[in-house]
Amino acid sequence: QVQLVQSGAEVKKPGASVKVSCKASGYTFTGYYIHWVRQAPGQGLEWMGRINPKSGGANYAQKFQGRVTMTRDTSISTAYMEVSSLRSDDTAVYYCATPTGDFPTWGQGTLVTVSS
Amino acid sequence: QSVLTQPPSVSGAPGQRVTISCTGSTSNIGAGYDVDWYQQIPGTAPKVLIYSNSDRPSGVPDRFSGSKSGTSASLAITGLQAEDEADYYCQSYDSTLSGWVFGGGTKVTVL
């Protein structure tokens, strides 16, 4: 079955960077976009952007342009999302999701805590 | 400010019917893009409740139903149960933003 498994929780200091991974299985990795969504504590879901695993091309929500980079490694069916210049308001759970089949499959989420 | 607009909260007694609206625009729901609905229990990942406006994944009770008309969509829960207390989000695609858009979320409380 389609599955996305994300990397573990991270604690970072302000100004640092974090890179979250999302390993796909159960489908053709290069056939479907990988989207990234984040959820700050007590807040709603916020779309960050998506990457085309086949081409490597990505488009980002305007809010994250210049600070977020999405990449992939097709040899291991894994997508990555890196956030630079972390701030305290980047503290959130970060999810990857892919719209295979009838509806999207989501990863389990990765908590990123930004604290000095 | 979410692109899709949902009421912050709805409530109902056990057994009652509640509906959650999701209002978009001509660049997302009104452009014909499908709406999915998610249920989220705090601390867990969102779970698909309704996809393609009105379809239910296997395992989702038929107490949950979805519909779409014009620039809006709605989720109905009939026979409300205590276990339905959760946050609910609508999601679609927006052609102007070239990406997914979400509603701000609706908290359902069972009285």
Side-chain angles (χ1 to χ4, degrees), chain A residues 35 39 47 59 95 102 104 106, chain B residues 38 40 44 51 89 98-100:
Chain A
H35 295 253
Q39 185 172 37
W47 183 77
N59 61 288
Y95 295 100
D102 293 328
W106 290 57
Chain B
Y38 291 89
Q40 188 179 36
T44 68
Y51 66 95
Y89 295 90
S98 296
W100 286 356

Side-chain angles (χ1 to χ4, degrees), chain A residues 5 22 28 31-32 48 59 61 72 74 78-80 89 94 109-110:
Chain A
V5 178
C22 171
T28 302
Y32 302 88
M48 301 178 68
N59 61 288
R72 93 294 188 219
T74 57
T78 299
Y80 303 91
D89 62 359
Y94 291 78
T110 297

Side-chain angles (χ1 to χ4, degrees), chain A residues 35-37 39 42-47 50 59-62 95 97-99 102-109, chain B residues 2 36 38 40 43-46 48 51-52 56-58 87 89 91 93 97-105:
Chain A
H35 295 253
W36 290 89
V37 176
Q39 185 172 37
Q43 302 301 307
L45 301 169
E46 182 176 33
W47 183 77
R50 65 178 182 176
N59 61 288
Y60 306 99
Q62 187 172 14
Y95 295 100
T98 185
D102 293 328
F103 52 85
T105 295
W106 290 57
Q108 82 277 19
Chain B
S2 302
D36 295 343
Y38 291 89
Q40 188 179 36
T44 68
V48 175
Y51 66 95
S52 298
R56 279 186 311 276
S58 61
D87 295 317
Y89 295 90
Q91 179 252 311
Y93 178 85
L97 301 175
S98 296
W100 286 356
V101 287
F102 290 94

Side-chain angles (χ1 to χ4, degrees), chain A residues 6-8 10 18-22 36 71 78-83 94-96 109-112:
Chain A
Q6 300 182 222
S7 48
E10 303 261 14
V18 68
K19 192 170 186 178
V20 179
S21 68
C22 171
W36 290 89
T71 57
T78 299
Y80 303 91
M81 190 279 303
E82 183 172 21
V83 185
Y94 291 78
Y95 295 100
C96 60
T110 297
L111 174 62
V112 175

Side-chain angles (χ1 to χ4, degrees), chain B residues 10 20 38-42 82-88 106-110:
Chain B
V10 299
I20 301 170
Y38 291 89
Q39 179 190 61
Q40 188 179 36
I41 307 294
E83 67 203 50
D84 299 333
E85 276 208 348
D87 295 317
Y88 294 80
T106 299
K107 182 174 182 59
V108 170
T109 301
V110 181

